[in-house]
Amino acid sequence: MKSEIRVEVPADCRLVGVRTDGDVVVIIYEPIQNVRQIGFIHYPEPDDETEEPENKK
């Protein structure tokens, strides 16, 4: 009979390696440190002062 165990590495980390120590499996992961930001978008908060006035006839 075979069994399987799944281990999920956290989203902000990367898997470095896997090794065994007798009957124990050791999973090595580390935080992702070199995440490069390629841009951002700034959305101003909506308020009454920035809204365009309605055209009145």
Side-chain angles (χ1 to χ4, degrees):
M1 182 172 107
K2 293 183 181 181
S3 297
E4 183 176 289
I5 298 175
R6 292 178 181 260
V7 177
E8 185 175 334
V9 175
D12 61 343
C13 296
R14 72 178 190 93
L15 180 65
V16 176
V18 179
R19 65 179 172 86
T20 58
D21 184 8
D23 290 341
V24 177
V25 175
V26 180
I27 300 169
I28 304 108
Y29 62 92
E30 65 185 11
I32 298 173
Q33 297 177 3
N34 296 328
V35 176
R36 185 179 358 160
Q37 182 176 356
I38 59 173
F40 64 94
I41 298 174
H42 174 71
Y43 291 101
E45 292 293 323
D47 59 31
D48 294 335
E49 295 175 6
T50 59
E51 290 181 7
E52 295 182 19
E54 293 180 17
N55 291 334
K56 295 181 180 178
K57 291 184 179 182

